Amino acid sequence: GEDVEQSLFLSVREGDSSVINCTYTDSSSTYLYWYKQEPGAGLQLLTYIFSNMDMKQDQRLTVLLNKKDKHLSLRIADTQTGDSAIYFCAACGGSYIPTFGRGTSLIVHP
Amino acid sequence: NAGVTQTPKFRVLKTGQSMTLLCAQDMNHEYMYWYRQDPGMGLRLIHYSVGEGTTAKGEVPDGYNVSRLKKQNFLLGLESAAPSQTSVYFCASSYETGDEQYFGPGTRLTVT
């Protein structure tokens, strides 16, 4: 089945850019997502990208997809303390049921 | 719309006790999912349903049962709770497979 990997922690200074990376194994993955989880809450969809796209930009968020390397990244420009949360990468492959990574805890220092 | 709701929010069980977690959604979604979230393990799929009356096993189904008698509700049962089932449980729903999943606020379960 699909396996999704991401680093567990990222620490950045307020105002800097954050880049969270993710790799997946199923080359047939069609939908790739980034979810955000704030403390004590469920996950909320941040953004997504289809496999036929290389890049998607949405205000401060940029998603890059390298299908050849099965690598997905999420860049948050001008990171704010309110961006501190856990970010989950998810990939939807042949089973059409998304597989989630372990989540990256983003810590933003003032 | 309330979205996805879960009851209860917190529960403490003794080993061997049983309980049912209720998930309800008011978005007319076909697909519903139960996940558990453990530190460093991310989200792991327990069971899911692709429509009323259907259920299927996910990655970690052992020790859990589910039912989807009504389209809007998805129940997760623990027949004989074990300390290894201490976790935060999330329910989610989506209109179609591959669509955005909408998550409930979670149920924090402790088994002593």
Side-chain angles (χ1 to χ4, degrees):
Chain A
E2 176 93 77
D3 192 22
V4 177
E5 295 285 341
Q6 46 183 136
S7 53
L8 292 183
F9 299 99
L10 177 65
S11 178
V12 300
R13 190 169 295 179
E14 192 173 18
D16 287 351
S17 291
S18 308
V19 179
I20 303 172
N21 295 301
C22 168
T23 58
Y24 59 96
T25 56
D26 188 342
S27 57
S28 69
S29 291
T30 310
Y31 306 93
L32 298 132
Y33 309 90
W34 285 104
Y35 283 83
K36 178 182 180 183
Q37 183 183 32
E38 299 193 353
L43 281 68
Q44 282 194 301
L45 183 70
L46 257 188
T47 186
Y48 64 93
I49 189 167
F50 291 121
S51 58
N52 61 356
M53 301 167 68
D54 296 325
M55 185 181 87
K56 181 178 181 181
Q57 191 148 1
D58 185 1
Q59 298 183 332
R60 292 191 296 123
L61 306 178
T62 303
V63 179
L64 294 178
L65 174 60
N66 181 326
K67 278 191 68 178
K68 176 176 168 290
D69 294 338
K70 296 194 277 290
H71 181 269
L72 184 72
S73 68
L74 173 70
R75 178 177 179 269
I76 305 173
D78 187 25
T79 313
Q80 303 297 307
T81 53
D83 294 323
S84 293
I86 303 176
Y87 291 80
F88 288 90
C89 172
C92 214
S95 71
Y96 295 104
I97 301 294
T99 299
F100 287 82
R102 296 186 177 195
T104 299
S105 289
L106 174 64
I107 300 164
V108 182
H109 299 285
Chain B
N1 286 352
V4 180
T5 58
Q6 292 183 234
T7 51
K9 286 187 170 46
F10 303 93
R11 186 74 187 268
V12 179
L13 285 180
K14 288 187 168 33
T15 298
Q17 287 185 318
S18 63
M19 78 163 294
T20 301
L21 282 68
L22 171 64
C23 175
Q25 52 93 4
D26 61 1
M27 296 173 282
N28 201 34
H29 285 169
E30 291 292 337
Y31 292 77
M32 296 187 75
Y33 315 81
W34 275 108
Y35 294 93
R36 61 178 288 173
Q37 183 178 26
D38 302 292
M41 300 295 291
L43 283 180
R44 291 184 291 171
L45 182 65
I46 305 171
H47 286 280
Y48 64 99
S49 168
V50 302
E52 182 179 312
T54 76
T55 63
K57 292 180 181 179
E59 182 187 353
V60 289
D62 294 341
Y64 305 95
N65 56 74
V66 287
S67 65
R68 183 108 181 260
L69 298 179
K70 292 183 180 179
K71 186 176 184 178
Q72 63 267 34
N73 295 337
F74 196 29
L75 277 62
L76 178 72
L78 287 73
E79 287 188 351
S80 180
S84 60
Q85 294 177 305
T86 293
S87 188
V88 180
Y89 291 86
F90 287 100
C91 176
S93 70
S94 65
Y95 185 66
E96 285 183 354
T97 183
D99 270 355
E100 172 184 0
Q101 290 191 350
Y102 292 80
F103 282 81
T107 294
R108 186 173 293 275
L109 175 66
T110 301
V111 183
T112 60

